[in-house]
């Protein structure tokens, strides 16, 4: 087998491997985010597990007809709510939310990026401006915590120490329903 032929076969394999994962990736654009998901199950779980409860008045919009509409309304509403709790309103904030099936997937992504084992159900990567979150474990509180990290990251020109980041994100969780 000559070299070119060998390379062609390798290329073919690469293409075959890439197609399926690309084909199932879809996204929803909201005012502040791009939500990336790979199944309608993920979307449904995400929507069902984010219960706005006592905060419903804050999120309900009349045009929320489909699951996608509901998610857009919840996510953008939560971003604005978190901003108001922190009294931080960064301009030009846009980030990604990648929906993952469960905590195992979250841990696998974290391990790949940071080469460290953790037991997280969600995390924010400041380098990628991306929240990775398990739709199995998500709750309003969990999403608000991660969005707080995003807002803090975008607000400060120089990143505050990790401890400050964490204290502020926990403050948001605590005062979510005030
Ligand atoms: Zn945190």
């Amino acid at each position: 087998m000559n070299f070119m032929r060998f390379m062609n076969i390798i290329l073919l394999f690469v293409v075959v491997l890439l197609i399926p994962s690309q084909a199932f990736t879809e996204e929803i654009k909201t005012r502040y985010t791009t939500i990336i998901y790979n199944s309608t199950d993920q979307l449904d779980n995400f929507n069902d597990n984010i219960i706005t409860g006592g905060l419903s008045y804050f999120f309900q919009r009349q045009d929320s007809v489909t699951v996608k509409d509901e998610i857009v309304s919840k996510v953008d509403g939560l971003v604005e709510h978190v901003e108001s709790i922190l009294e931080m309103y960064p301009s030009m904030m846009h980030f990604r939310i990648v929906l993952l099936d469960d905590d195992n997937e979250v841990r696998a992504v974290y391990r790949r990026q940071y080469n460290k084992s953790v037991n997280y159900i969600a995390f924010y990567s400041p380098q990628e401006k991306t929240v990775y979150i398990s739709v199995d474990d998500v709750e309003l509180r969990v999403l608000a915590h991660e969005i707080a990290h995003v807002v803090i990251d975008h607000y400060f020109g120089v990143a505050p120490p990790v401890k400050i980041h964490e204290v502020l994100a926990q403050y948001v969780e605590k005062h979510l329903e005030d």
Side-chain angles (χ1 to χ4, degrees):
M1 187 167 23
N2 67 41
F3 181 70
M4 281 311 288
R5 204 188 138 96
F6 177 70
M7 284 309 286
N8 277 338
I9 289 169
I10 294 283
L11 256 172
L12 188 68
F13 266 109
V14 170
V15 169
V16 167
L17 284 173
L18 282 176
I19 286 169
S21 65
Q22 292 284 324
F24 290 101
T25 303
E26 298 217 40
E27 57 181 50
I28 303 174
K29 292 223 184 266
T30 82
R31 182 165 172 202
Y32 302 106
T33 75
T34 302
I35 301 166
I36 294 155
Y37 63 100
N38 59 33
S39 71
T40 46
D41 270 1
Q42 281 185 337
L43 271 194
D44 290 340
N45 277 347
F46 184 68
N47 193 38
D48 290 346
N49 286 339
I50 296 178
I51 299 161
T52 49
L55 289 171
S56 289
Y57 69 93
F58 195 81
F59 297 96
Q60 243 152 40
R61 290 184 193 166
Q62 290 188 331
D63 55 356
S64 298
V65 183
T66 64
V67 169
K68 283 185 191 179
D69 290 339
E70 262 183 59
I71 288 174
V72 169
S73 162
K74 284 178 184 177
V75 168
D76 282 344
L78 192 56
V79 169
E80 287 170 5
H81 189 50
V82 168
E83 286 182 341
S84 71
I85 295 170
L86 287 168
E87 294 181 11
M88 293 177 190
Y89 304 93
S91 55
M92 305 281 289
M93 191 174 73
H94 201 91
F95 62 103
R96 300 194 311 161
I97 300 175
V98 174
L99 304 188
L100 299 168
D101 283 341
D102 52 36
D103 56 343
N104 285 327
E105 287 192 4
V106 173
R107 287 162 202 194
V109 173
Y110 194 93
R111 208 176 306 121
R112 229 177 292 137
Q113 286 198 7
Y114 299 99
N115 206 11
K116 228 166 83 181
S117 291
V118 291
N119 59 356
Y120 297 164
I121 53 177
F123 72 94
Y124 171 61
S125 160
Q127 293 81 14
E128 299 187 325
K129 307 287 175 221
T130 300
V131 169
Y132 294 91
I133 200 156
S134 152
V135 295
D136 245 13
D137 303 279
V138 72
E139 291 173 40
L140 189 68
R141 194 179 53 75
V142 174
L143 186 59
H145 181 108
E146 298 309 325
I147 290 175
H149 281 305
V150 179
V151 172
I152 296 158
D153 178 42
H154 283 76
Y155 182 79
F156 290 103
V158 177
V162 175
K163 231 178 203 168
I164 302 290
H165 241 284
E166 203 47 44
V167 167
L168 287 172
Q170 282 167 15
Y171 175 87
V172 167
E173 265 191 72
K174 213 180 246 168
H175 295 276
L176 205 53
E177 313 234 2
D178 287 358

